């Protein structure tokens, strides 16, 4: 098809076929390229081909050993080792120095290397993103085994601040992934074609808008967790999976623990589902009930996430599991006759049979509220009929919340039969505090004549985070903006792209997007200084939570108003502004449109800097 400047598509189905014309960052136009004579092209091709056929130098299979001085790892040597291992057409090994911290200043990439694998031996070292960059990115058919390493302080756009896996295979063994943050899947994110297996590892302290620890896409090939503990992670929004967000249908969880995550232990969308085998799934949001080898409720872990004496997960793993391998810290499996659930193996023996530990469950036992939000309800379920009545005490801080309309603590329930008790929580305003606060509701058996419900029985508590103001809503898919009356964004994209593109509105109708009266963004979020001087009408940030870096065939993005479109591609580091060709379409009246092929920032300005 021949495209001409000013040509307009007949319908939105044809919009993604429109060309986009780019200009130089200095806002001067790019001249048309001159066609080379056929003979010159053939000669150049012969030269390039001959170069490809020459034997490469320095591409032998190797073991790389990035050094360490005074506990500070050589991050530059590590980055170079990663690059060399990705291009030498051999399977390679990278060994870090135990006890050292390698703080990277740019993401460590694994490439395909023609199907060869990379084995990354942490030896107890730490790899940190320094609070500024994503740590690992596996892509393009690569395959990596990462073991015995701490991956921490990753910060990244979109997804996978610890490890982002896109069309690649990851095996993560005996590792700690903590304190990472991003929009989707802060510890590990699985994009298109990702195959992820996590063994004997701990994921904690990670936070994201969706999938605080792990997020998958509808096109993630598989996610398997074996003896993995996912606790203490957070999603910014209740119900978005503080532990894991599952969009794929091939998630299997074996002998693992997912519990005590803020925002819900699990979240599902796009038909996502999971299969759990001999695992503890804490708050009920994972869709797994107690029974058949699975448990719910509080796992009873200590400060280091190792089971305390009397924990429900001790000797509660698959009884068919043979003694083999080691746990997260290198201790042998099995130690007390039957394998434990989670990353740690203990020598404790269970004080209460696992089948009886779930006599009282609390669902959910962690959620978020704000001072102005509607009350929320949680449930206390007594699953085993008591032989005699007992008294359940619910203790709380009356300065923070009321329970069932009462400000008297403890709230007492007399339990004489199996069933469910509902507790409604209302958050109270605290005018002296301008920050989020956390309060705990404790449960205990204060009096009992039932031997199966002794006063010593541990009952899970509820942790509530009370936000000073509610957080802004999640960034929607780009095409979702089409349904917003009076919206400033309109998008047309093939189905193969639309599921993976999100659009964050930075500026609308001449001003920054606001939330509860406060501006969320400034000129710094646009990516280049001086743009506000051109009269910004609208601005959007286009990104792909699934890690898509190229929009095959293009997608059409339209901003409300008339003017000049300026484009800042996400692939540019730093980003630089370019004027791009634009057009209008009858389907989107009073919108200025362009066809784009990658993530970035699109800005509509009133003044053309070339005029």
């Amino acid at each position: 098809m021949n495209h001409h400047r000013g040509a307009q598509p007949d319908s939105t189905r044809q919009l993604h076929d429109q060309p986009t014309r780019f200009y130089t960052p200095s806002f001067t136009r790019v001249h048309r390229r001159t066609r080379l004579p056929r003979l010159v092209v053939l000669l150049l091709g012969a030269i390039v081909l001959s170069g490809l056929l020459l034997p490469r130098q320095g591409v032998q299979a190797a073991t790389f050993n990035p050094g360490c001085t005074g506990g500070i790892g050589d991050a530059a040597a590590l980055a170079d080792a990663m690059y060399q291992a990705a291009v030498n057409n051999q399977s390679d090994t990278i060994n870090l120095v135990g006890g050292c911290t390698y703080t990277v200043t740019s993401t460590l990439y694994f490439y395909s290397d023609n199907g060869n694998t990379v084995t990354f031996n942490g030896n107890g070292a730490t790899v940190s993103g320094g609070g500024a960059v994503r740590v690992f990115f596996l892509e393009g058919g690569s395959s990596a085994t990462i073991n015995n390493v701490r991956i921490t302080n990753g910060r990244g756009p979109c997804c996978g601040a610890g490890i982002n896996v896109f069309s690649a295979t990851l095996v993560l063994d005996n590792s700690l992934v903590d304190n990472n943050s991003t929009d989707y899947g802060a510890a590990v994110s699985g994009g298109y074609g990702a195959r992820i297996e996590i063994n004997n590892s701990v994921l904690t302290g990670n936070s994201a808008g969706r999938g605080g620890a792990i997020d998958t896409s509808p096109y993630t090939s598989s996610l398997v967790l074996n003896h993995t503990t996912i606790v203490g992670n957070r999603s910014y929004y209740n119900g978005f999976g503080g532990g894991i967000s599952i969009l794929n249908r091939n998630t299997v969880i074996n002998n693992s623990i997912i519990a005590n995550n803020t925002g819900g232990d699990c979240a599902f969308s796009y038909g996502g589902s999971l299969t759990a085998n001999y695992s503890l799934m804490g708050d009920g949001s994972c869709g797994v009930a107690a029974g058949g080898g699975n448990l719910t409720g509080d796992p009873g872990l200590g400060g280091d996430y190792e089971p305390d004496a009397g924990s429900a997960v001790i000797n509660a793993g698959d009884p068919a599991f043979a003694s083999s391998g080691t746990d997260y810290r290198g201790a042998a499996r099995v130690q007390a006759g039957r394998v434990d659930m989670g990353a740690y193996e203990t020598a404790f023996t269970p004080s209460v049979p696992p089948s009886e530990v779930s006599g009282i469950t609390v669902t959910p036992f962690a959620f978020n509220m704000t001072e102005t939000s509607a009350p929320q309800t949680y449930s206390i379920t007594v699953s085993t009929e008591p032989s005699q009545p007992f008294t359940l005490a619910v203790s709380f801080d009356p300065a923070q919340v009321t329970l069932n309309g009462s400000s008297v603590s403890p709230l007492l329930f007399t339990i004489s039969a199996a069933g469910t008790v509902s507790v409604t929580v209302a958050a109270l305003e605290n005018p002296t505090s301008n920050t989020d606060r956390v309060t705990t509701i404790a449960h205990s058996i204060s009096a009992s004549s039932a031997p199966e419900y002794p006063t010593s029985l541990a009952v899970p508590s509820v942790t509530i985070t009370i936000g000073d103001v509610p957080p802004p809503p999640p960034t929607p898919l780009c095409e979702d903006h089409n349904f917003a009356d009076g919206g400033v964004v309109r998008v047309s994209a093939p189905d193969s792209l639309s599921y993976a593109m999100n659009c964050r509105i930075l500026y609308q109708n001449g001003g920054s997007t606001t939330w509860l009266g406060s501006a969320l963004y400034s000129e710094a979020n646009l990516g280049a200084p001086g743009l506000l001087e051109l009269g910004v009408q609208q601005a959007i940030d286009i990104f792909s939570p699934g890690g898509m870096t190229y929009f095959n065939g293009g997608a059409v993005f339209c901003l409300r108003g008339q003017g000049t479109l300026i484009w800042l591609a996400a692939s540019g580091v730093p980003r630089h502004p370019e004027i791009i060709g634009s057009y209008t379409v009858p389907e989107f009246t009073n919108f200025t449109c362009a066809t784009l092929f990658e993530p970035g920032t699109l800005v509509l300005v009133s003044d053309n800097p070339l005029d």
Side-chain angles (χ1 to χ4, degrees), residues 184-185 188-190 196 209-225 230 235 239-253 258 263-276 281 284-288:
Y184 300 88
V188 179
S189 176
I196 301 170
R210 186 182 76 196
I214 299 176
D215 180 67
T216 66
S217 85
Y219 299 97
T220 299
S221 295
S222 63
L223 170 65
V224 178
L225 306 180
I230 300 177
S235 66
F240 278 73
I244 59 177
S245 172
I246 302 170
L247 281 70
N248 71 311
R249 295 177 176 83
N250 299 298
T251 293
V252 179
I253 301 175
I258 304 178
D265 290 324
C266 297
F268 300 88
S269 57
Y270 287 92
S273 61
L274 66 80
T275 300
M281 317 297 280
S285 62
C286 299
V288 177

Side-chain angles (χ1 to χ4, degrees), residues 3 43 90 95 112 204-205 210 216 257 280 341 355 385 390 426 438 459 541 546 556 566:
H3 296 281
L43 289 173
Q90 298 289 340
N95 296 314
S112 64
T204 186
R210 186 182 76 196
T216 66
I257 299 169
L280 186 145
M341 293 178 180
S355 60
E385 191 82 13
F390 66 89
V438 177
V459 183
D541 182 38
V556 173
I566 295 178

Side-chain angles (χ1 to χ4, degrees), residues 150-162:
R150 180 187 182 190
I151 301 170
T152 188
N153 282 331
R155 302 289 184 273
C158 166
C159 36

